[in-house]
Amino acid sequence: MSWFKREDHKIVNDAAKTVRTEGLWIKCGSCNAALFKADLEANLQVCPKCSNHFRFDARSRIANLLEPGYTLVDLELRSTDPLQFTDLKPYKSRLADAQKKTGLNDAIVNATGHIGPHPVVLSAMEYSFIGGSMGAVVGETIARAVDRALAARHPLIIISASGGARMMEGIASLMQLAKISAALAKLDAAGIPYISVMTDPTTGGVTASFAMLGDLNIAEPGALIGFAGPRVIEQTIRQKLPPGFQRSEFLLEHGFLDAIVPRKEMKSYLTQTLTWMTQ
Ligand SMILES: [Zn+2]
């Protein structure tokens, strides 16, 4: 007999989250337009019809923001599976699958380079690697990005895309919140700017630590940003949440964000911002 029994309370699935693909075409989850994949790619994965922001992989983000000649760094770290964790399948095989799918060792890519004339350290999360979850490798890689920013006295930019802490690493995953927050406090004390860019989705332990600690906290339009996700909140309070709850626009209106910046304007926005922040 189970301890808890779920009573019948219907939760409406968010159809906008499902994207159906057929070969060369992709359907926009927001306006239902059939889009040619190559057009979408040329438009930085933003729907040309309704400006819906599709997910964008870490390496494309870096290539889009940094001037040519940038360097990808800290890619060698790999998870040791400290708990020998198995849920539906062993964590080790989840890691192996994700590594094969993304060509990355974990859900993060660090880079050093320039945005316009400004030297920066840029760290971008990869959502397609186990939901961009933050385990010890993500934590250490971000801590290294902070250390690089501190050593070179260059501004730090972190682009978040994450479902939160990585359950398969348990406490080791939770430790990353404190570790990164402590590193960022050193950056703050040294007077080096840190800009947090939140993208869809930024939730859980990532929101609860570095994503909300920026000197400037900005987000892409329509991004889901929160601690517990809307499904968990709905299941807890057993009520349907208001439209737009936990989306960028809602957060801006309630004072959690400094600005919403469309993907295509992100580079010029950051260039301008870094100019006044570093003067
Ligand atoms: Zn659209």
Side-chain angles (χ1 to χ4, degrees):
M1 197 180 86
S2 61
W3 285 17
F4 301 102
K5 198 172 162 196
R6 181 178 294 177
E7 287 173 18
D8 189 29
H9 51 283
K10 289 203 176 69
I11 289 167
V12 182
N13 262 332
D14 185 4
K17 274 189 185 158
T18 324
V19 177
R20 276 170 293 239
T21 58
E22 260 171 46
L24 293 170
W25 297 85
I26 191 163
K27 192 172 172 182
C28 174
S30 180
C31 70
N32 285 334
L35 305 170
F36 193 41
K37 271 188 185 168
D39 289 346
L40 191 63
E41 209 166 293
N43 205 34
L44 306 178
Q45 303 289 338
V46 175
C47 173
K49 304 266 181 348
C50 74
S51 295
N52 176 33
H53 283 51
F54 287 66
R55 298 219 166 106
F56 199 30
D57 70 276
R59 280 163 291 191
S60 302
R61 280 190 188 280
I62 291 169
N64 174 239
L65 289 176
L66 296 183
E67 309 304 327
Y70 62 84
T71 316
L72 300 182
V73 291
D74 307 323
L75 290 167
E76 67 282 2
L77 297 174
R78 297 172 83 104
S79 174
T80 56
D81 186 13
L83 305 179
Q84 311 276 304
F85 194 86
T86 300
D87 47 271
L88 292 174
K89 59 179 177 177
Y91 177 40
K92 273 200 172 67
S93 65
R94 277 189 198 282
L95 281 169
D97 291 350
Q99 282 160 355
K100 198 173 155 202
K101 184 171 94 175
T102 60
L104 294 172
N105 278 337
D106 216 299
I108 186 106
V109 184
N110 279 357
T112 56
H114 286 74
I115 292 184
H118 307 287
V120 294
V121 178
L122 177 63
S123 197
M125 300 190 76
E126 176 55 66
Y127 188 77
S128 57
F129 194 106
I130 317 185
S133 52
M134 173 176 60
V137 171
V138 169
E140 174 62 20
T141 306
I142 293 179
R144 288 187 185 189
V146 179
D147 288 346
R148 284 177 188 279
L150 201 55
R153 296 197 62 86
H154 291 162
L156 173 70
I157 299 165
I158 302 178
I159 303 172
S160 300
S162 174
R166 188 170 294 170
M167 299 305 155
M168 303 80 153
E169 293 191 17
I171 189 70
S173 166
L174 289 182
M175 289 300 295
Q176 308 312 314
L177 280 79
K179 175 172 165 170
I180 300 168
S181 301
L184 287 172
K186 282 197 275 181
L187 200 66
D188 184 52
I192 298 163
Y194 160 44
I195 301 174
S196 170
V197 181
M198 287 165 255
T199 72
D200 185 62
T202 297
T203 58
V206 167
T207 312
S209 60
F210 58 88
M212 284 290 175
L213 289 176
D215 296 306
L216 203 64
N217 294 328
I218 62 176
E220 285 190 339
L224 174 72
I225 300 163
F227 183 64
R231 262 178 309 166
V232 173
I233 298 176
E234 281 182 341
Q235 281 165 6
T236 308
I237 65 169
R238 301 185 179 189
Q239 280 174 31
K240 190 86 186 108
L241 295 165
F245 178 74
Q246 288 186 324
R247 296 284 161 184
S248 311
E249 295 71 15
F250 188 92
L251 268 79
L252 181 70
E253 205 181 311
H254 292 82
F256 276 83
L257 290 177
D258 296 305
I260 295 174
V261 185
R263 196 172 289 160
K264 275 196 259 180
E265 294 164 27
M266 189 62 79
K267 186 171 175 169
S268 60
Y269 181 92
L270 289 173
T271 309
Q272 206 179 4
T273 304
L274 288 168
T275 302
W276 63 256
M277 277 183 132
T278 53
Q279 260 166 12

